[in-house]
Amino acid sequence: MFSRRFEPPQAKSFSKTSKINKSSSSFSKNHGVSKSRHEPRQHRRPATAASANVPNETATALSPTGTLTPSIVTLVIGRDQRIFAAHEDVLCASPWFQQALSNQYMDPQNSKRIHLPDDEPEIFSSVLEYLYKGDYYPRLVHNKRRNSWQIEQTEDDGQGSNESTVYHHGVDGDILKDTVIYCTADKYGLEELKRVALRKQGLQSGIQCSTILASARYAYANTPDTDSKLRAHYLALIIRSRSTFKRSGTMQLEMFNGGTQLFFDLFVALCNHVDDISSAQNTPRSNRHFF
């Protein structure tokens, strides 16, 4: 989706796998509607289509004839109040929007306008893209030969670029885009989008320690304590990369500052990891007690 204003964030990205195509795409007139272009990156994103075996919540939002109704909702996103528009049928695939379109979240002066000042325009654009197309850029593709999933790669004059991070005003820094999409999907009740975002995040590589820690902190602040997917992903990631993190000054500073459940969970996970290794090697545990 596109918005009224274009103010590219000064975000750096670190993935080694994603590249951007010069080709442009937008939702057709029969899909999302906006008055001007908005794309927070320097290049337009290529057209995407629903990936295999990824069901789309929007399918249940269509009218009995299988077509979208003409009702359009205006959405005012972020602190800069960027304007998006989408079909009401599509938005109602989300339980949150279904309720928002029928109660106090509506602007009293305009029954088809919703304000979301805490959302990031780039993230909301990806959510809308998913609702219309079943995936968001860069999309998931299935490698039939290897029977595995990967993130699509496109060529752009031989230069690599990266879409793995996004500047988030709430944390005043770069964090992993898929993490923010996961948390946004959790807020809007889009379970399949959460699964897509988590799978994509697991395919990222070459991410800096500081970005991983900032993203993990964001994940803990924006998911319920009952979340067993995204939080566990970060714990496993840090444990796998422990040789890097134990030398990280950023890790030391984050642990010193505290203020999050992350590090206690990490301690428990590390203890469980050591216990598993000990059990696998049939190593007897010490009977000594420490005071």
Side-chain angles (χ1 to χ4, degrees), residues 123-232:
I123 298 302
F124 193 78
S125 176
S126 294
V127 172
L128 284 183
E129 184 178 2
Y130 169 79
L131 287 174
Y132 277 103
K133 298 183 177 182
D135 201 352
Y136 60 90
Y137 178 80
R139 68 175 181 167
L140 276 173
V141 292
H142 187 253
N143 187 320
K144 294 182 179 180
R145 183 166 60 87
R146 297 182 178 180
N147 191 28
S148 62
W149 291 93
Q150 61 189 44
I151 298 176
E152 69 173 344
Q153 299 184 37
T154 55
E155 296 297 328
D156 182 21
D157 295 337
Q159 300 295 322
S161 187
N162 186 338
E163 292 274 340
S164 65
T165 61
V166 61
Y167 179 83
H168 196 288
H169 290 87
V171 300
D172 192 23
D174 288 346
I175 55 178
L176 288 170
K177 176 180 176 181
D178 296 321
T179 291
V180 187
I181 290 176
Y182 180 101
C183 296
T184 304
D186 183 69
K187 169 184 174 182
Y188 293 138
L190 299 170
E191 293 299 320
E192 186 58 37
L193 177 54
K194 288 171 60 177
R195 285 188 282 271
V196 171
L198 190 64
R199 173 171 280 177
K200 286 187 177 184
Q201 182 159 305
L203 297 173
Q204 299 289 355
S205 63
I207 310 299
Q208 293 184 358
C209 290
S210 58
T211 303
I212 292 174
L213 291 173
S215 301
R217 183 181 287 274
Y218 179 89
Y220 265 77
N222 291 275
T223 55
D225 292 338
T226 55
D227 179 81
S228 61
K229 302 294 184 182
L230 185 60
R231 293 186 178 193

Side-chain angles (χ1 to χ4, degrees), residues 19-59:
K19 297 182 180 179
I20 304 177
N21 196 316
K22 284 185 177 179
S23 62
S24 63
S25 70
S26 62
F27 298 128
S28 68
K29 294 180 180 179
N30 294 325
H31 293 83
V33 180
S34 62
K35 293 187 177 180
S36 62
R37 291 177 180 268
H38 160 61
E39 182 60 53
R41 301 288 179 179
Q42 294 180 352
H43 300 283
R44 304 304 299 170
R45 62 182 58 180
T48 61
S51 58
N53 300 324
V54 180
N56 185 1
E57 284 96 340
T58 311

Side-chain angles (χ1 to χ4, degrees), residues 97-142:
F97 280 109
Q98 189 173 29
Q99 183 175 1
L101 287 166
S102 61
N103 62 21
Q104 70 272 17
Y105 291 101
M106 304 305 301
D107 188 322
Q109 297 181 351
N110 189 333
S111 61
K112 296 295 181 181
R113 181 178 293 261
I114 298 178
H115 293 267
L116 299 170
D118 296 328
D119 283 16
E120 291 291 329
E122 181 174 355
I123 298 302
F124 193 78
S125 176
S126 294
V127 172
L128 284 183
E129 184 178 2
Y130 169 79
L131 287 174
Y132 277 103
K133 298 183 177 182
D135 201 352
Y136 60 90
Y137 178 80
R139 68 175 181 167
L140 276 173
V141 292
H142 187 253

